Amino acid sequence: MTALTVEALGAAADAVERHLPDLVQERFASRLFAQDAQLWGPEAQEEAAKRLAWVGLPRTSRPLVGEIAALREELRERGVDRVVLCGMGGSSLAPEVICATAGRPLVVLDSSDPDMVRAAVQEDLERTVVVVSSKSGSTLETDSQRRAFVQAFTDAGIDPTERVVIVTDPGSPLDTQSREGGYRVVNADPDVGGRYSALTAFGLVPSGLAGVDVGALLDEAEEVADLLAEDDSGNPGLRLAAALAGTEPLRDKLLFTDVGSGIVGLADWAEQLIAESTGKSGTGVLPVVTPAGAGPTEGLTDTSDCTVVVLAPDVEESDDGERLPNGGAESQVNVTGSLGAQLLLWEVATAAAGRLLGINPFDQPDVESAKEAARQIMAEGAGSGEAAALADGVVEVRALGGWLPDDVTDLAGAVQALLGQLDPQRGYLAVMAYLDRLHLADLTGMQPGLVGRTGRPVTFGWGPRFLHSTGQYHKGGPAQGVYLQVTAAPVQDLPVPGKDYTFGEFIAAQAAGDARVLAEHERPVLRLHLTERDAGLEQLRQVLPW
């Protein structure tokens, strides 16, 4: 039996005691698993009615197990064992966690950075199968990645219909187009939203092709499904929801730390699920993924708006009777459980948190705004958007919204001016790097230094990946953030086949569009564009060491 525990301490425990009885009395859990769309009020009912099938996925996804296994064996017999996933947000984050936890290699291409796309396309094509995942097929990043691989296969004399697997909703434009083109298509459940799709074809197909035992993953989820559907005070999903979203006043920063859970990257998956689901109508809770090796509250001067979330191993109680020590946090929740169990747990808790916050946890009203702004910039041929306020060496500085003082003349001064906009009690800093997240992974090392410099929580997001994740929270959540955006000229640009633009132009427009929408929401945004990537990074390191 899969163990699943949620232990709340401090203010989180008070929140559980305060809200759990009402959730039980309202029969929230059983109504959720009965797919009652009225749980979040009349305004959310239409959306919720077509987004609740995820509660039954541990059972309804079973037919996929055999289909995936047969396809994997067919590919292996042809010497195809490298799996690349083209997808964004919910289409890529869950498979990345599933495969990393199982120790199975998976190349996740969730970027429009030309250097990252080129590296994925050029490596070992003769051994590669590409999974293209998109609910509708209208996601521009995924469509562009698909075009690049189809062109590469064709140029190499490989039939792309034998190497590209499409995962999409039935009847979507991508479904119709792909079937007509002779591609293999696996349909996902259309009544599941992207960030709740870990146990649909979106999570299972790439993971299974990479060699993960997806049947066992479903087993883990199914073992706890009845527990999570119980209207009982011991329901871990309800307890977790109350701890996350029921503190008074609301502690709206969740500081994730992993102390040996054995699940690789769970916090990165939960980041999208929670932030995009709750960050709207001026409220929400923001997950902050703590860097490896750093304490969750290390460097913070005020934690009164924070709850520490400890992802812990499933271990027996220690000799002194304490499962995990409270590391000085005033509000903490410890969570244990297998991967399959936790995928369902966090989805239940997020849905219940939406109820407590009074919002619809299934829509994402502010995600489309950044997409539309990017399309507009591309149509205008505006390149990187607004003109630079100043240039310092190979770094161009842009500050949208008129907040940058006129006497700022260099990079260091601009960064200091941005940090000066930060609320010392409730604020957070979001670093948004529109760069190759695989080749330049060490950039995340600037996060601890910025925490120490500001005394406030700092998130690090790779663009455009985060646009399908925390991007909703940054625009629709509380107006507490300040935003540091880093872009760079590509080492070598790459055309998007069949289109009149390049990947470099596309990612530049995405960054500029996101900054424009944040500025329209009166969020302070500092854009740093490196006209020479490597030299610019060295210059940036002098101001923001990592």
Side-chain angles (χ1 to χ4, degrees):
M1 179 68 180
T2 297
L4 189 61
T5 67
V6 172
E7 177 189 21
L9 303 168
D14 295 339
V16 172
E17 183 177 357
R18 185 182 305 114
H19 292 284
L20 188 59
D22 289 340
L23 289 171
V24 172
Q25 183 177 6
E26 294 168 358
R27 297 175 41 251
F28 180 90
S30 62
R31 290 170 64 193
L32 172 65
F33 276 77
Q35 301 186 37
D36 184 348
Q38 301 179 71
L39 284 169
W40 300 273
E43 292 185 3
Q45 186 169 348
E46 181 180 358
E47 182 75 21
K50 56 187 179 183
R51 290 289 179 259
L52 289 173
W54 55 268
V55 297
L57 289 172
R59 298 179 178 93
T60 60
S61 287
R62 291 288 171 179
L64 288 170
V65 176
E67 181 180 359
I68 294 168
L71 176 56
R72 178 169 181 255
E73 185 58 30
E74 176 187 327
L75 291 166
R76 288 185 63 184
E77 289 177 353
R78 289 189 275 153
V80 178
D81 59 1
R82 175 179 180 257
V83 183
V84 177
L85 171 60
C86 297
M88 301 298 297
S91 297
S92 64
L93 289 165
E96 189 168 54
V97 175
I98 294 168
C99 290
T101 299
R104 304 303 303 176
L106 175 70
V107 178
V108 177
L109 181 56
D110 56 355
S111 178
S112 40
D113 178 86
D115 299 315
M116 186 170 168
V117 174
R118 180 182 299 100
V121 168
Q122 289 182 343
E123 183 180 344
D124 292 333
L125 269 184
E126 70 281 356
R127 297 176 36 238
T128 297
V129 60
V130 178
V131 180
V132 176
S133 291
S134 175
K135 281 184 70 64
S136 67
S138 63
T139 305
L140 284 181
E141 298 99 326
T142 306
D143 178 65
S144 300
Q145 296 154 3
R146 177 190 64 81
R147 290 170 177 272
F149 269 104
V150 168
Q151 183 68 58
F153 282 130
T154 302
D155 291 346
I158 300 172
D159 183 352
T161 65
E162 296 183 354
R163 296 298 189 86
V164 176
V165 178
I166 306 296
V167 180
T168 188
D169 282 357
S172 73
L174 180 60
D175 185 26
T176 302
Q177 167 193 330
S178 299
R179 292 183 187 278
E180 291 176 351
Y183 289 90
R184 187 187 296 265
V185 178
V186 181
N187 286 138
D189 192 323
D191 293 328
V192 178
R195 56 189 177 274
Y196 293 82
S197 67
L199 299 177
T200 69
F202 288 110
L204 301 182
V205 170
S207 302
L209 293 183
V212 176
D213 184 347
V214 294
L217 186 74
L218 293 174
D219 289 343
E220 293 172 355
E222 188 170 3
E223 285 180 2
V224 300
D226 290 342
L227 172 65
L228 293 169
E230 288 182 357
D231 297 312
D232 184 86
S233 60
N235 186 321
L238 301 183
R239 299 180 69 84
L240 182 56
L244 300 183
T247 49
E248 295 181 9
L250 178 63
R251 291 172 174 263
D252 55 12
K253 317 295 189 307
L254 307 177
L255 310 179
F256 276 79
T257 186
D258 194 306
V259 294
S261 71
I263 303 175
V264 182
L266 181 65
D268 295 295
W269 170 79
E271 180 182 50
Q272 185 212 13
L273 175 67
I274 298 168
E276 196 171 50
S277 295
T278 68
K280 59 201 70 169
S281 303
T283 189
V285 284
L286 175 67
V288 180
V289 182
T290 304
T297 60
E298 186 177 333
L300 299 179
T301 56
D302 186 345
T303 61
S304 61
D305 59 341
C306 301
T307 289
V308 173
V309 178
V310 180
L311 303 174
D314 183 18
V315 295
E316 297 295 328
E317 292 187 5
S318 60
D319 294 338
D320 60 6
E322 294 185 3
R323 287 187 59 83
L324 282 170
N326 182 345
E330 299 169 351
S331 182
Q332 182 169 318
V333 58
N334 305 326
V335 183
T336 71
S338 65
L339 175 55
Q342 289 214 47
L343 292 173
L344 194 57
L345 166 71
W346 284 98
E347 289 170 347
V348 169
T350 300
R355 167 84 170 204
L356 295 177
L357 293 170
I359 52 90
N360 174 5
F362 304 112
D363 67 350
Q364 49 282 332
D366 295 295
V367 170
E368 183 59 34
S369 60
K371 295 180 182 179
E372 178 56 38
R375 287 191 289 263
Q376 182 178 351
I377 289 171
M378 291 175 70
E380 295 169 351
S384 57
E386 286 72 10
L390 62 96
D392 183 347
V394 296
V395 181
E396 296 177 349
V397 176
R398 294 174 172 81
L400 282 71
W403 59 268
L404 186 67
D406 293 336
D407 60 354
V408 172
T409 59
D410 60 12
L411 173 60
V415 170
Q416 186 56 44
L418 176 72
L419 301 184
Q421 297 285 313
L422 194 58
D423 183 331
Q425 276 77 48
R426 304 291 296 182
Y428 71 92
L429 168 65
V431 180
M432 307 175 297
Y434 285 79
L435 300 166
D436 181 344
R437 71 178 181 88
L438 300 181
H439 183 69
L440 302 174
D442 68 327
L443 262 67
T444 59
M446 71 173 64
Q447 190 178 359
L450 285 168
V451 172
R453 182 169 172 178
T454 63
R456 297 302 304 154
V458 177
T459 69
F460 192 102
W462 293 100
R465 170 185 172 114
F466 81 88
L467 292 178
H468 302 259
S469 177
T470 51
Q472 167 63 41
Y473 184 95
H474 293 330
K475 304 172 188 70
Q480 301 171 342
V482 301
Y483 305 91
L484 178 64
Q485 188 185 92
V486 182
T487 63
V491 174
Q492 182 181 351
D493 209 345
L494 183 69
V496 177
K499 296 293 185 179
D500 60 356
Y501 54 84
T502 68
F503 280 98
E505 291 166 345
F506 182 25
I507 196 171
Q510 289 180 294
D514 185 44
R516 180 180 294 182
V517 174
L518 285 167
E520 290 171 353
H521 283 74
E522 299 183 348
R523 269 60 159 175
V525 187
L526 182 67
R527 297 190 59 213
L528 306 179
H529 180 67
L530 318 180
T531 56
E532 296 178 21
R533 192 193 70 181
D534 293 343
L537 289 172
E538 284 302 316
Q539 188 177 340
L540 191 60
R541 190 186 290 269
Q542 303 307 310
V543 178
L544 302 170
W546 64 89

